[in-house]
Amino acid sequence: MEQKSSPQSGVHPRQNKQESFEQPPMYVAVMTYVGYGLVTLFGYFRDFLRAVGLEKCHVAQEREEQKDFTPLYQDFENFYTRNLYMRVRDNWNRPICSLPGPVFDLMERVSDDYNWTFRFTGKSIPNVINMGSYNYLGFAENNADFLKSVADRLQRYGAAVCSTRQETGTLHEELEQLVAEFLGVESSMTFGMGFATNSMNIPALVGKGCLIISDELNHTSLILGARLSGATIRVFKHNNMCSLEKMLKEAVCSGQPRTRRPWRKILIMVEGIYSMEGSVVRLPEIIALKEKYKAYLYLDEAHSIGAVGPTGRGVTELFNVNPGDVDVMMGTFTKSFGAAGGYIAGKKELVDYLRSQSHSAVYASAMSPAITEQIIRAIKCITGKDGSTEGIRRIRQLAENTRYFRARLKEMGFIIYGGDESPVVPLLLYMPAKVVAFAREMLARKIGVVVVGFPATPITEARARFCVSAAHTRDMLNQVLHHLNEVGDNLCLKFSRRKHPSLEDPVLTFQLKKM
């Protein structure tokens, strides 16, 4: 069982027994800085060669008559793009030409000018194991029997509503009732885009004179929504309850700057599962703090709804807390439900207010009828309302796959981040050259992975991010793990200094079989 700490205990999230944030040996950090230093020096040298005409300049340049205007490109960003990113651009934005399920086909492409442009060869790379999609429950599928109701809705209602949700809606009311019932709250409303669910609804909830206290690792959509709101923003350390409480206490005691008037609202913004760290929010402690200091809580469950909890109801079910204790429940349908769009749920008073005040509801087009039906189908499957046990089987399969995959990686000696329940599994690579070599070597072995480095991560924490799915079979995972073990040895990526139990350990084997 997890050893929970009180909000006042001062336990840092990286000391949480169920979450791993192991630090690498010192030489790894040193070599990482040296690696970035070398590629930066070579970048300046290549810029010099371009300036004297010894190397062709592919980058977009501003015309001479625009020199008196403010530059469109920031110097370092442009430098980083042309000298670092372009050299390794083949590892990102790879086009696929099949269903993005547990396996997919990649379009083969080559570059004749060092990744400035690509051309397709007309061939494909078949049967690549997909370890990068957020297809947590495997609903990104093309089964004609499963999708019959979706096809019927498309045939009957067409591909789009061509109007806002306030003016037109058929299946949307049924979906919103299902979502509210699934989450255990009074009401909900849906939106056609997950990103806009955050960025367009936060400004409707808070404004000038309000305070947003945001986790430092929150998603860009939350950050944009906070900035658009005009509210004051303060950032607390990731999952650190001491940092959060300190800011809440200061906000209540000091009030607004200069005037010292009380804040109109104090809104805490967190995510259920953080997509780059794989960490799970410390929800019970945050709820205790928000109640103690009379604040509101905004919970983004984009990566946790459907993916965690015994019946897939997210982190509120995982921690066995009352959904009513979360003031604003937000989530997306783009991941566990294999569709598109997002939702806001909570008290009926909140949802009714957003129906008239949210820019996304008033101005944006409503969700497509076919997409709406796909979400309805997925929720009914998860809850068993379709008369089958397929939904609960997928939830249990995802939990089993997640624990198995994480346990094997730890056993091999890799450093991975996040909680044991999180299907997002970041594997730390650290050095820039190893990031590139890892991605290319894994693709050569027909395994599609997502690699992430600076500036998307801290400079010393480049990583590969694996996303486990219920659609992954044990054979697929074993194949991935086999190649990871070989690549980890060849590239010297096993930096962990901890001793982890082997899967031959009877206790660990029993725990995995219980899933």
Side-chain angles (χ1 to χ4, degrees):
M1 294 296 291
E2 178 184 1
Q3 182 179 354
K4 296 182 180 179
S5 58
S6 67
Q8 291 80 19
S9 67
V11 176
H12 192 274
R14 299 197 175 199
Q15 298 171 346
N16 191 316
K17 287 185 179 295
Q18 282 195 329
E19 290 198 347
S20 173
F21 291 93
E22 182 182 351
Q23 297 301 302
M26 180 62 70
Y27 78 89
V28 175
V30 172
M31 294 303 296
T32 300
Y33 280 111
V34 170
Y36 276 106
L38 286 175
V39 295
T40 302
L41 287 175
F42 275 102
Y44 281 114
F45 179 67
R46 296 185 69 222
D47 273 354
F48 170 76
L49 295 180
R50 295 187 186 106
V52 298
L54 295 178
E55 182 176 332
K56 184 178 180 181
C57 182
H58 296 276
V59 70
Q61 293 179 312
E62 296 183 39
R63 293 181 296 180
E64 187 66 31
E65 58 266 27
Q66 293 177 312
K67 294 297 183 182
D68 294 333
F69 291 87
T70 303
L72 288 175
Y73 308 109
Q74 295 186 18
D75 289 341
F76 183 74
E77 288 184 8
N78 200 17
F79 171 85
Y80 189 93
T81 299
R82 67 178 177 267
N83 290 310
L84 281 73
Y85 172 70
M86 282 297 177
R87 303 289 293 182
V88 296
R89 192 162 70 106
D90 57 296
N91 294 298
W92 290 276
N93 306 317
R94 291 167 174 160
I96 68 171
C97 52
S98 69
L99 178 79
V103 295
F104 53 44
D105 299 338
L106 282 175
M107 298 178 69
E108 187 179 73
R109 60 180 183 175
V110 295
S111 177
D112 302 316
D113 51 10
Y114 303 103
N115 292 340
W116 285 96
T117 61
F118 292 100
R119 60 180 176 84
F120 296 110
T121 65
K123 301 177 183 179
S124 66
I125 306 173
N127 300 322
V128 178
I129 299 178
N130 179 8
M131 295 301 297
S133 294
Y134 302 132
N135 184 26
Y136 297 132
L137 294 180
F139 282 114
E141 56 195 355
N142 202 15
N143 187 310
D145 294 333
F146 290 166
L147 298 175
K148 185 179 185 303
S149 62
V150 179
D152 291 343
R153 295 297 184 182
L154 181 62
Q155 185 71 26
R156 179 177 180 181
Y157 293 109
V161 176
C162 302
S163 181
T164 67
R165 177 68 184 84
Q166 290 183 329
E167 297 172 345
T168 306
T170 51
L171 299 171
H172 303 86
E173 291 185 1
E174 179 185 354
L175 173 59
E176 289 169 351
Q177 290 172 1
L178 274 175
V179 170
E181 182 181 339
F182 179 64
L183 297 174
V185 294
E186 293 179 5
S187 184
S188 75
M189 64 182 300
T190 58
F191 305 88
M193 181 181 178
F195 190 98
T197 305
N198 276 331
S199 59
M200 293 290 100
N201 281 294
I202 293 173
L205 295 172
V206 291
K208 189 176 181 180
C210 298
L211 174 65
I212 294 175
I213 303 180
S214 175
D215 190 290
E216 66 179 343
L217 295 183
N218 275 344
H219 189 262
T220 305
S221 58
L222 290 168
I223 296 170
L224 178 60
R227 290 175 177 172
L228 291 175
S229 70
T232 301
I233 305 170
R234 292 176 184 166
V235 179
F236 69 95
K237 295 178 182 179
H238 175 55
N239 252 353
N240 190 312
M241 298 302 102
C242 287
S243 176
L244 175 58
E245 182 170 23
K246 180 180 179 182
M247 290 188 179
L248 285 168
K249 188 179 297 184
E250 181 183 353
V252 172
C253 294
S254 301
Q256 300 183 41
R258 295 189 298 274
T259 64
R260 301 303 176 189
R261 292 177 180 173
W263 295 100
R264 291 172 54 203
K265 298 175 189 172
I266 299 176
L267 181 66
I268 304 169
M269 291 200 317
V270 294
E271 295 186 45
I273 291 178
Y274 292 83
S275 61
M276 202 62 71
E277 301 290 316
S279 54
V280 182
V281 66
R282 299 169 68 172
L283 187 60
E285 297 165 75
I286 291 177
I287 289 176
L289 286 176
K290 77 105 178 177
E291 291 178 348
K292 178 179 179 180
Y293 293 97
K294 310 302 180 185
Y296 295 95
L297 176 58
Y298 187 107
L299 175 63
D300 179 342
E301 288 213 86
H303 289 269
S304 55
I305 191 66
V308 296
T311 60
R313 285 171 167 81
V315 290
T316 55
E317 184 181 48
L318 179 66
F319 289 106
N320 195 28
V321 302
N322 183 2
D325 292 335
V326 180
D327 300 287
V328 185
M329 300 184 72
M330 177 270 171
T332 62
F333 302 117
T334 57
K335 299 169 179 68
S336 294
F337 302 94
Y343 65 83
I344 293 284
K347 293 183 178 179
K348 187 176 186 302
E349 181 183 6
L350 165 75
V351 175
D352 289 344
Y353 170 80
L354 287 176
R355 290 191 191 279
S356 61
Q357 300 299 321
S358 167
H359 293 294
S360 188
V362 176
Y363 298 110
S365 178
M367 188 183 294
S368 162
I371 294 296
T372 305
E373 177 60 29
Q374 161 64 14
I375 304 167
I376 292 173
R377 179 187 79 87
I379 294 179
K380 287 184 177 180
C381 180
I382 292 171
T383 57
K385 289 187 175 181
D386 62 348
S388 74
T389 59
E390 176 64 17
I392 196 66
R393 185 200 67 80
R394 294 191 186 204
I395 292 170
R396 290 173 179 171
Q397 185 66 52
L398 174 61
E400 181 181 342
N401 286 351
T402 297
R403 290 189 175 273
Y404 176 75
F405 192 70
R406 282 183 168 273
R408 286 295 305 274
L409 289 178
K410 290 178 181 179
E411 179 192 352
M412 291 176 186
F414 292 104
I415 294 179
I416 62 173
Y417 278 180
D420 292 340
E421 303 86 0
S422 171
V424 180
V425 187
L427 186 153
L428 276 294
L429 304 174
Y430 299 105
M431 304 174 201
K434 294 192 177 188
V435 172
V436 178
F438 179 84
R440 290 173 177 167
E441 181 63 24
M442 293 300 286
L443 181 59
R445 296 166 181 259
K446 289 193 173 183
I447 298 170
V449 301
V450 173
V451 291
V452 191
F454 180 80
T457 67
I459 195 167
T460 58
E461 295 185 12
R463 66 199 65 177
R465 184 181 60 181
F466 296 90
C467 294
V468 183
S469 170
H472 289 137
T473 64
R474 183 59 61 90
D475 287 341
M476 289 180 189
L477 294 180
N478 284 336
Q479 184 177 342
V480 173
L481 290 163
H482 169 73
H483 290 297
L484 276 174
N485 193 34
E486 290 187 351
V487 173
D489 287 333
N490 294 340
L491 298 180
C492 300
L493 297 173
K494 299 178 179 180
F495 301 114
S496 179
R497 293 170 292 183
R498 297 179 181 176
K499 290 185 177 180
H500 297 283
S502 169
L503 286 187
E504 297 177 359
D505 185 337
V507 176
L508 180 58
T509 303
F510 175 73
Q511 290 176 345
L512 290 172
K513 286 183 177 179
K514 283 204 320 181
M515 296 302 299

